[in-house]
Amino acid sequence: MSGQLAGDVFTWPFGDLYRLSTEADLFSTGYFDLLEVQGAFPVEWVDRIRGAAPDDALRIALEATSPESRWLRSASSGPRSQALLARWAVALTSKST
């Protein structure tokens, strides 16, 4: 269910809920303990299980705009996710200058 990703701003575990189908499946993985990590905890397919996403979540969606490009959309739903989004924006801005 999880692995490690490393980046300049965050080092996090990541989750993939595609093969899980119930909250009991999710609970048995230790997923809810991972929600307490500092920084971001990226999760694919979080909408597959009701209650998997915390109330304060940073959601990121990629949309294919052509075979070679993607549009990234992000939205925060609380103070913690807003702070993560702000840190990410600063990191992306400093990379492009």
Side-chain angles (χ1 to χ4, degrees), residues 4-68:
Q4 283 287 348
L5 294 174
D8 293 340
V9 176
F10 309 111
T11 301
W12 353 262
F14 68 93
D16 181 351
L17 307 187
Y18 184 75
R19 288 180 170 69
L20 303 178
S21 58
T22 67
E23 190 173 350
D25 292 341
L26 190 57
F27 185 78
S28 71
T29 67
Y31 170 83
F32 294 104
D33 295 330
L34 293 173
L35 293 178
E36 301 302 319
V37 300
Q38 297 298 316
F41 175 32
V43 180
E44 293 181 279
W45 301 99
V46 72
D47 294 333
R48 288 181 55 84
I49 300 176
R50 186 180 178 141
D55 292 335
D56 186 353
L58 175 60
R59 294 188 178 259
I60 298 169
L62 294 173
E63 177 185 337
T65 56
S66 76
E68 297 84 29

Side-chain angles (χ1 to χ4, degrees), residues 59-65 69-74 88:
R59 294 188 178 259
I60 298 169
L62 294 173
E63 177 185 337
T65 56
S69 65
R70 304 289 181 269
W71 185 258
L72 186 139
R73 298 181 192 277
S74 61
W88 189 27

Side-chain angles (χ1 to χ4, degrees), residues 81-94:
S81 58
Q82 181 60 46
L84 287 169
L85 185 57
R87 285 180 63 196
W88 189 27
V90 168
L92 290 174
T93 302
S94 66

